[in-house]
């Protein structure tokens, strides 16, 4: 099975900062990676699909990059509404999906 | 608009079963898969499985494969997830999500299942 890791597990930054979260797969997953944002007490929401494609309606302050085993999610100009936990998810090993452990972002 | 509306909270005893529903609206139900994801208190997201409402075909995660059944009722655009032989570590919020081209683009609000004696 493909294992997903994320780093850091949590971070604290200031409003206006640029923040980067890393997601690593245990084997090559090409670009088969999605990113989700989960705000406290809410359901997750899709941010990025296929490693780098911004979901409709999501602010362009979010950028996804990477392929193979190493991926990043960057939040530019961090805002208070970005406080959330961010999860990566692989789908290369169909029909199975796997989430990363999450990265909690605080301000 | 596209929505997934889930059933309410449940409290179950160990060994019992629970069936959570997820009613879809605003789109053609059979055109998209439905996946189920759970989240234990303070923990991350765990994918449980998915079902094609068009074919009825299912795929389950190894961790729940022996205890879970996912079904759909196309006449009411409703998906169901039944989990049997409940244990305390099944206490979690259970989410349904629409599967669109291998990403989960619409989520239900979540259903809390508490397993306690």
């Amino acid at each position: 099975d493909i294992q997903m890791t994320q780093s850091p597990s949590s971070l604290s930054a200031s409003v206006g900062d640029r923040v980067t979260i890393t997601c690593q797969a245990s084997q090559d997953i090409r670009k088969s990676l999605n990113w989700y944002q989960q705000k406290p007490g809410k359901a997750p929401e899709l941010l990025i699909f296929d490693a780098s494609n911004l979901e409709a309606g999501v602010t362009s302050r979010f950028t996804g990059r990477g392929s193979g085993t190493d991926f990043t999610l960057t939040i530019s100009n961090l805002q208070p509404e970005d406080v959330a936990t961010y999860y990566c998810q692989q789908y290369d090993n169909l029909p199975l999906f796997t989430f990363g452990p999450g990265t909690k972002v605080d301000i | 608009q596209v929505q997934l509306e889930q059933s309410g909270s449940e409290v179950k005893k160990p060994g019992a079963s629970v069936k959570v529903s997820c009613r879809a609206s605003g789109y053609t139900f059979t055109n998209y898969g439905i996946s189920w994801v759970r989240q234990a208190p303070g923990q991350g997201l765990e994918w449980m499985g998915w079902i094609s409402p068009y074919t009825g075909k299912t795929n389950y995660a190894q961790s729940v494969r022996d205890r879970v059944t996912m079904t759909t009722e196309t006449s009411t655009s409703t998906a169901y997830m039944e989990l049997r032989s409940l244990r305390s570590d099944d206490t979690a919020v259970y989410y349904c999500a629409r599967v669109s081209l291998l990403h989960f683009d619409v989520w239900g609000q979540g259903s809390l299942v508490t397993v306690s004696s």
Side-chain angles (χ1 to χ4, degrees), chain B residues 6-12 18 20 92-93 109-114:
Chain B
Q6 297 186 226
S7 50
S9 299
E10 304 246 23
V11 179
K12 296 292 183 181
V18 68
V20 179
V93 176
Q109 83 276 21
S111 300
L112 174 63
V113 175
T114 303

Side-chain angles (χ1 to χ4, degrees), chain A residues 34 36 38 43-44 46 89 95, chain B residues 39 47 59 102-104 107-108:
Chain A
N34 304 319
Y36 298 87
Q38 186 179 32
L46 178 66
Q89 176 204 43
Chain B
Q39 185 170 39
W47 177 77
N59 289 103
L102 302 177
H103 50 267
F104 300 176
W107 293 67

Side-chain angles (χ1 to χ4, degrees), chain A residues 17-21 61-63 73-79 82 86 105:
Chain A
D17 281 355
R18 175 187 293 243
V19 167
T20 296
I21 298 166
R61 295 188 295 102
F62 290 95
T63 305
L73 174 70
T74 298
I75 311 172
S76 302
N77 188 20
L78 190 70
Q79 297 297 303
D82 301 331
Y86 295 84
V105 173

Side-chain angles (χ1 to χ4, degrees), chain A residues 10 12-13 22 26 33 43 47-48 50 52 54 57 60-61 66 68-69 83 91 93 96 99:
Chain A
S10 64
S12 184
T22 297
S26 59
L33 189 100
L47 291 176
I48 302 280
D50 300 344
S52 59
L54 195 66
S60 59
R61 295 188 295 102
T69 60
V83 168
Y91 57 87
N93 185 29
L96 307 179
F99 286 97

Side-chain angles (χ1 to χ4, degrees), chain A residues 1 34 36 38 41-46 48-50 55 87 89 91 94-101, chain B residues 35 37 39 43-47 50 59-62 65 95 99 101-105 107-110:
Chain A
D1 287 3
N34 304 319
Y36 298 87
Q38 186 179 32
K42 300 293 186 181
E45 292 184 355
L46 178 66
I48 302 280
F49 61 93
D50 300 344
E55 171 68 348
Y87 295 92
Q89 176 204 43
Y91 57 87
L94 291 174
L96 307 179
F97 294 83
T98 310
F99 286 97
Chain B
S35 201
V37 176
Q39 185 170 39
Q43 302 301 308
L45 303 173
E46 179 188 11
W47 177 77
W50 68 327
N59 289 103
Y60 301 136
Q62 176 77 25
R65 186 167 297 155
Y95 295 101
V99 184
L101 296 175
L102 302 177
H103 50 267
F104 300 176
D105 67 340
W107 293 67
Q109 83 276 21

Side-chain angles (χ1 to χ4, degrees), chain B residues 38-103:
Chain B
R38 69 178 178 178
Q39 185 170 39
Q43 302 301 308
L45 303 173
E46 179 188 11
W47 177 77
M48 298 178 68
W50 68 327
I51 182 167
S52 164
Y54 181 71
T55 64
K57 184 176 179 180
T58 56
N59 289 103
Y60 301 136
Q62 176 77 25
S63 60
V64 294
R65 186 167 297 155
D66 295 338
R67 299 189 295 128
V68 72
T69 302
M70 296 177 187
T71 56
T72 58
E73 187 175 80
T74 55
S75 62
T76 59
S77 298
T78 303
Y80 299 92
M81 186 283 301
E82 182 178 32
L83 190 61
R84 302 175 294 279
S85 302
L86 288 168
R87 312 185 292 241
S88 58
D89 62 356
D90 292 318
T91 294
V93 176
Y94 289 76
Y95 295 101
C96 60
R98 189 178 79 164
V99 184
S100 173
L101 296 175
L102 302 177
H103 50 267

